[in-house]
Amino acid sequence: MPLQNFGSILNFAEELESQDRQFYEAAAGNPACGAQRALFSALAAEAGRSVQTVQRIRREYVTEMILEPIRDFTRAPFCEACEGAAVQTAAEVLAAAKRLESRAERYYTEAAQKIQALTEVSRALKSLAKTRRTRLAKLG
């Protein structure tokens, strides 16, 4: 499905953040991930804050939503199933978490490039990408 405008980019970003929050909440509750429980709980909380950030960006720049068309950007490369965190081994959960963080970092970086005409929005998306790089480093 193509991401053709400001609204679709931010809607998909919110979807990614919500999906990741659910993944980390499930991982934190997984008995096999007891050693990483605090890390996964913290990542779930960060994803929740990122949802709020995306929603704030959408509210603040709503007037620009329809003015800037986006071309050649689709959600397909960024769609990844992330179920099973509650029953996977700790190694599987960590590997999935790294993939999710890498995917989101790529998404925000590419989205920021696509929406460069909206400088403040592009800057905010780059900031979210930086946050994801930091989170990826936390995962090892």
Side-chain angles (χ1 to χ4, degrees), residues 70-92:
I70 308 298
R71 299 195 195 314
D72 303 322
F73 195 45
T74 63
R75 46 189 299 157
F78 309 104
C79 291
E80 181 174 333
C82 60
E83 292 95 24
V87 295
Q88 294 174 334
T89 66
E92 291 170 330

Side-chain angles (χ1 to χ4, degrees), residues 2-5 9 68-74 114:
L3 299 168
Q4 300 175 327
N5 57 40
I9 285 176
E68 192 62 36
I70 308 298
R71 299 195 195 314
D72 303 322
F73 195 45
T74 63
K114 292 290 184 181

Side-chain angles (χ1 to χ4, degrees), residues 16-28:
L16 287 179
E17 295 295 346
S18 295
Q19 180 185 54
D20 291 355
R21 187 188 75 240
Q22 291 169 357
F23 173 84
Y24 287 126
E25 287 171 349

Side-chain angles (χ1 to χ4, degrees), residues 65-131:
M65 280 180 72
I66 57 172
L67 300 178
E68 192 62 36
I70 308 298
R71 299 195 195 314
D72 303 322
F73 195 45
T74 63
R75 46 189 299 157
F78 309 104
C79 291
E80 181 174 333
C82 60
E83 292 95 24
V87 295
Q88 294 174 334
T89 66
E92 291 170 330
V93 171
L94 280 172
K98 289 176 184 179
R99 284 192 315 274
L100 294 176
E101 293 299 330
S102 178
R103 167 201 65 176
E105 189 270 332
R106 275 189 349 265
Y107 175 75
Y108 287 126
T109 300
E110 290 182 31
Q113 290 172 349
K114 292 290 184 181
I115 204 158
Q116 284 181 358
L118 301 172
T119 309
E120 294 299 320
V121 176
S122 180
R123 187 175 303 134
L125 293 174
K126 287 177 187 175
S127 176
L128 287 166
K130 183 179 176 184
T131 299

Side-chain angles (χ1 to χ4, degrees), residues 10 13-19 21 44-59 108 128:
L10 291 179
E14 187 175 345
E15 257 181 66
L16 287 179
E17 295 295 346
S18 295
Q19 180 185 54
R21 187 188 75 240
E46 286 179 27
R49 286 190 296 276
S50 292
V51 167
Q52 292 173 347
T53 299
V54 169
Q55 291 171 343
R56 179 186 50 77
I57 293 167
R58 185 175 33 238
R59 279 192 311 271
Y108 287 126
L128 287 166

